[in-house]
Amino acid sequence: MSDKKLSGEVFYPSENTLKDLRVKKWDDLQKAASEDYEGFWSNIASELHWFRKWKKVIDDSKKPFYKWFTEAKTNIVYNCLDVHMETFRKNKLALIWEGENGDFKAFSYYALHRETNKFANVLKSMGVRKGDRVTIYMGRVPEIVIAMLACARIGAIHSVVYGGFSVEALHERLEDSHSKLLIVADGAYQRGKIVNLKSIADEALQRAASVEHVLVVKRTGHEINMEFGRDMWYHELMNMPFAKSKCEAEEMDSEDPLFMLYTSGTTGKPKAILHTHGGYMVGVYATLRYVFDINDEDRYWCAADPGWITGHSYIVYGPLLNGATSFLYEGAPNFPYPNRWWQMIEKYGITILYTAPTAIRGLMRFGDAWPGRHDLSSLRLLGSVGEPINPEAWRWYHSVIGGGRCPIMDTWWQTETGMFMITPMPSVPLKPGSGTRPFPGIEMDILDEEGKPVKDNEEGFLVIKTPWPAMIRTIYNDDDRYVEQYWSKYPGYYLTGDSARRDEDGYFWIIGRVDDVLKVSGYRLGTAEIESALVSHNAVSEAAAIGLPHDVKGNAIYTYVILRAGVQGSKELMEELRNHVGHEVGPIAKPESIEFVESLPKTRSGKIMRRVLKAKALGEDPGNLSTLED
Ligand code: WTA
């Protein structure tokens, strides 16, 4: 980057940071990528193992159905595990795990390879084949990683459902993916209590017909229902003669699906984003390596959940592809006390911490004394993801947690992008609240309604102009929706659904979603999911959900409900409806408030105008009301 002075509050990388960087600097990469984009990705891909090399790096002949590394053969799990068996990493720790109740497990690359192979053989013995979909529903335990890897190893497509989701959310995802197999844990520890995952799954299974078998991982050991002939214990199967410790990785085409992951979009049901073995692998490998400068001395902790894209890319695949040691923690950040995280950073010597602004704000509330009790000097880099980070939380994270010496990688990306898109690298000057600029070689822009780039510091729609290896390939079973949702507003450009502005230094600032997606505590939820859960209660006739600013959660869910004729609103009903949403979608979707109303603002075509509700709740001008029906 040029030496031009940057505007606003800027944190320049220290001499020490620059001196210690193991990987590459931003400028070198940027130069390589801008000179030869395909060559840049092809060089990175060459660092990985391929059973057969690609013919073309990018095939754009059927845009927007891009293909990457065409006709190549690989398997992401071969690159996550097998390649390390040939090196010293065989005996290096791959995964360190701490349970909320203090349980501990650690896996060397050798052990993780063995467990994955064994479980892959279990899956095969149950008739799971290449292309089959397998749903995984667990808390943050090592078996979720093993289950994902075992599926991918044999070419099955995993569909992980976040353990914080509940009955209807799980049911919908099971049904849409036509999974024949569900892998579930008996329970999960959360804040000292047991979340009864198996009984939630049992209820979801009553609604879902496709599932033939359920594999149950014993985590909490409490009494659960095991249905004869359908349900089997993981630990019993892993001890069977067929659970051999060798299972060859299936040779996958680059473009063969690796996983699907449901996420919320504009209106309607959650959709399954499809990612593939080849391009996704190259994208997450490179971004984690360069952005977090990951290397063999690191102990890296991404505190997200494996059930979301952050966990897929940067707890499971990215770290293993890089041969890193990564840490996984089961429970709540402040259990039993608000120093839990800081205690574990000290105990395990964590060098890189990657988390979400909501967690930082939540822990910041407890004051500086809690982190102050611990030696956090092992940390060298910090990261943030999921929503814009407010400068106040940024500064606290930087000075109190990072001791003023750790650059913060504020990474903007999405389930759909699979990998970091707007992100600094440790050598880049930082501005609190900005993810700086797009990753080398990736071109992004901010457009107005007509598709013209906006001026500096003006707000507009954030778009991506170049294809990237880990990009979404389609929406599972819905190519039309893929084209319509992402590529139709500005043909040729990928529409992110976010609004943003760019400052005079070319730094991007994300403002927020412009569609019906809410980011609540960093979790992505659709207003439609919350609304349909409300309407599924027999007291409710219509419902609308909006997000309003919240100090810790970023956004909190506010809902407006029209009751059925003859039903009276009451405090009890309100509580019942909140619990109903919790039971159907999950605790994260429970509305902060429910207001009973007589009518909802709608367009003449009957669409709820959420922006009008939002403006009213915030006491703001609702803007153009010409399409309002009433
Ligand atoms: C938001 C999460 C600001 C954004 C990886 C995006 C962010 C949505 C950031 C995707 C960030 C993610 N700064 N906003 N660093 N990272 N977002 O699919 O609105 O769960 O569109 O993926 O999160 O959420 P998703």
Side-chain angles (χ1 to χ4, degrees):
M1 210 176 73
S2 73
D3 289 332
K4 178 182 144 223
K5 182 129 177 43
L6 301 174
S7 65
E9 184 182 10
V10 187
F11 288 75
Y12 290 89
S14 72
E15 287 299 317
N16 271 341
T17 300
L18 293 175
K19 182 168 79 31
D20 287 348
L21 281 187
R22 272 74 150 200
V23 193
K24 279 205 175 85
K25 299 218 175 79
W26 177 274
D27 296 351
D28 306 343
L29 278 191
Q30 190 66 280
K31 187 158 169 279
S34 55
E35 279 167 7
D36 175 9
Y37 189 58
E38 292 194 19
F40 170 76
W41 285 112
S42 150
N43 281 337
I44 293 172
S46 303
E47 294 171 19
L48 296 159
H49 175 273
W50 302 79
F51 299 114
R52 187 169 82 202
K53 221 190 141 167
W54 53 91
K55 291 243 165 68
K56 274 170 118 178
V57 175
I58 310 175
D59 174 0
D60 60 4
S61 57
K62 296 206 173 66
K63 288 193 268 213
F65 298 93
Y66 291 91
K67 290 194 171 108
W68 280 79
F69 307 106
T70 60
E71 291 176 57
K73 296 270 185 206
T74 189
N75 186 306
I76 193 169
V77 181
Y78 191 92
N79 279 291
C80 286
L81 300 174
D82 301 51
V83 295
H84 306 309
M85 292 303 111
E86 314 294 319
T87 71
F88 75 95
R89 288 186 185 137
K90 180 175 179 181
N91 293 314
K92 176 186 167 170
L93 289 184
L95 188 64
I96 304 173
W97 172 77
E98 187 169 303
E100 197 188 70
N101 62 349
D103 286 355
F104 172 86
K105 279 186 192 167
F107 295 80
S108 62
Y109 271 90
Y110 178 79
L112 194 59
H113 180 255
R114 180 194 63 227
E115 295 302 297
T116 299
N117 277 271
K118 281 169 69 78
F119 193 51
N121 278 321
V122 168
L123 293 175
K124 275 188 167 172
S125 76
M126 304 199 56
V128 179
R129 298 282 172 266
K130 183 176 171 180
D132 287 349
R133 278 83 53 213
V134 174
T135 297
I136 303 175
Y137 180 60
M138 284 189 233
R140 286 186 291 272
V141 287
E143 288 80 0
I144 193 171
V145 179
I146 294 167
M148 290 165 72
L149 295 171
C151 286
R153 188 167 187 87
I154 63 170
I157 306 168
H158 59 72
S159 165
V160 180
V161 178
Y162 169 57
F165 276 132
S166 199
V167 178
E168 185 52 24
L170 177 59
H171 160 236
E172 254 172 26
R173 288 158 175 78
L174 281 168
E175 190 153 282
D176 185 76
S177 63
H178 294 281
S179 294
K180 280 189 284 189
L181 181 70
L182 168 67
I183 309 170
V184 62
D186 55 351
Y189 288 110
Q190 187 67 23
R191 239 171 264 287
K193 297 206 188 80
I194 290 175
V195 182
N196 204 334
L197 295 172
K198 177 62 166 60
S199 79
I200 294 172
D202 285 339
E203 215 182 318
L205 287 167
Q206 281 170 8
R207 303 181 193 178
S210 67
V211 178
E212 292 164 7
H213 290 290
V214 180
L215 294 187
V216 189
V217 171
K218 191 176 252 176
R219 163 62 188 129
T220 47
H222 69 292
E223 190 77 35
I224 56 164
N225 154 57
M226 290 290 280
E227 195 171 306
F228 184 76
R230 188 195 68 183
D231 302 354
M232 279 162 277
W233 286 108
Y234 174 92
H235 62 271
E236 287 179 359
L237 294 171
M238 289 289 267
N239 275 324
M240 293 290 191
F242 51 72
K244 293 198 176 52
S245 51
K246 199 163 176 202
C247 174
E248 292 302 331
E250 186 80 28
E251 295 193 10
M252 304 296 286
D253 189 276
S254 264
E255 285 293 316
D256 276 338
L258 166 63
F259 66 82
M260 46 207 272
L261 187 57
Y262 286 85
T263 193
S264 313
T266 1
T267 60
K269 291 191 169 174
K271 54 201 170 156
I273 308 301
L274 200 72
H275 284 290
T276 57
H277 272 258
Y280 174 81
M281 167 174 84
V282 174
V284 299
Y285 163 76
T287 44
L288 184 62
R289 186 168 168 70
Y290 294 127
V291 173
F292 282 112
D293 189 48
I294 207 124
N295 66 80
D296 278 310
E297 287 83 59
D298 281 313
R299 283 203 164 178
Y300 158 87
W301 180 15
C302 167
D305 192 285
W308 298 87
I309 193 66
T310 310
H312 280 55
S313 299
Y314 300 112
I315 295 178
V316 181
Y317 292 112
L320 296 174
L321 287 168
N322 280 285
T325 298
S326 98
F327 175 65
L328 183 67
Y329 165 61
E330 179 183 39
N334 55 349
F335 187 86
Y337 300 108
N339 65 331
R340 182 65 184 264
W341 272 24
W342 321 128
Q343 195 177 35
M344 293 187 300
I345 288 174
E346 178 172 3
K347 180 170 168 190
Y348 297 109
I350 303 296
T351 58
I352 302 169
L353 173 67
Y354 182 35
T355 185
T358 183
I360 298 162
R361 289 191 298 262
L363 290 165
M364 186 169 107
R365 271 187 322 171
F366 297 109
D368 299 2
W370 290 102
R373 281 168 52 179
H374 298 279
D375 178 3
L376 303 180
S377 62
S378 58
L379 289 172
R380 70 180 185 98
L381 278 175
L382 300 172
S384 173
V385 61
E387 49 176 329
I389 180 165
N390 47 315
E392 196 196 352
W394 195 101
R395 286 184 213 110
W396 185 82
Y397 195 29
H398 187 256
S399 66
V400 178
I401 305 308
R405 58 175 197 283
C406 310
I408 299 177
M409 302 299 104
D410 178 357
T411 60
W412 178 93
W413 58 296
Q414 308 178 301
T415 307
E416 293 88 342
T417 70
M419 64 184 230
F420 306 150
M421 297 302 283
I422 299 176
T423 177
M425 297 204 316
S427 60
V428 168
L430 305 173
K431 300 189 187 190
S434 166
T436 73
R437 288 164 301 158
F439 190 76
I442 287 163
E443 283 175 44
M444 297 186 59
D445 211 337
I446 301 171
L447 306 179
D448 65 15
E449 197 55 56
E450 276 73 54
K452 284 204 292 298
V454 297
K455 297 199 190 77
D456 284 355
N457 289 312
E458 273 178 18
E459 184 176 343
F461 298 95
L462 182 68
V463 297
I464 307 173
K465 294 163 66 176
T466 34
W468 64 102
M471 66 196 296
I472 171 179
R473 292 304 193 273
T474 190
I475 291 173
Y476 180 70
N477 268 344
D478 205 344
D479 287 349
D480 293 346
R481 190 165 168 200
Y482 166 68
V483 176
E484 149 67 27
Q485 175 137 358
Y486 301 107
W487 303 92
S488 64
K489 187 170 171 84
Y490 307 111
Y493 292 174
Y494 169 90
L495 184 72
T496 65
D498 279 15
S499 66
R501 63 183 180 85
R502 189 171 32 199
D503 70 16
E504 50 285 5
D505 299 317
Y507 277 44
F508 285 73
W509 299 76
I510 306 297
I511 296 162
R513 299 288 309 189
V514 281
D515 53 9
D516 297 327
V517 169
L518 302 178
K519 293 296 286 207
V520 180
S521 301
Y523 296 119
R524 179 163 163 183
L525 292 169
T527 50
E529 282 162 277
I530 302 157
E531 290 161 5
S532 66
L534 282 168
V535 195
S536 74
H537 189 284
N538 55 22
V540 178
S541 142
E542 278 188 78
I546 56 167
L548 294 178
H550 185 280
D551 282 349
V552 174
K553 297 179 180 174
N555 286 291
I557 305 166
Y558 283 73
T559 55
Y560 301 85
V561 161
I562 303 178
L563 292 171
R564 291 207 173 186
V567 181
Q568 274 301 318
S570 66
K571 263 223 151 68
E572 292 69 43
L573 181 59
M574 208 180 273
E575 210 35 45
E576 189 180 321
L577 291 178
R578 288 188 68 234
N579 289 333
H580 179 72
V581 176
H583 180 261
E584 293 294 303
V585 188
I588 48 167
K590 271 192 182 180
E592 196 85 359
S593 108
I594 297 178
E595 198 175 311
F596 298 119
V597 293
E598 296 294 316
S599 67
L600 289 166
K602 285 189 190 158
T603 61
R604 274 174 217 111
S605 57
K607 274 169 74 178
I608 296 171
M609 294 179 83
R610 294 186 190 78
R611 80 178 160 81
V612 175
L613 287 170
K614 197 165 167 172
K616 186 163 170 275
L618 293 171
E620 288 169 359
D621 173 17
N624 182 358
L625 289 180
S626 60
T627 55
L628 188 70
E629 177 204 42
D630 186 0

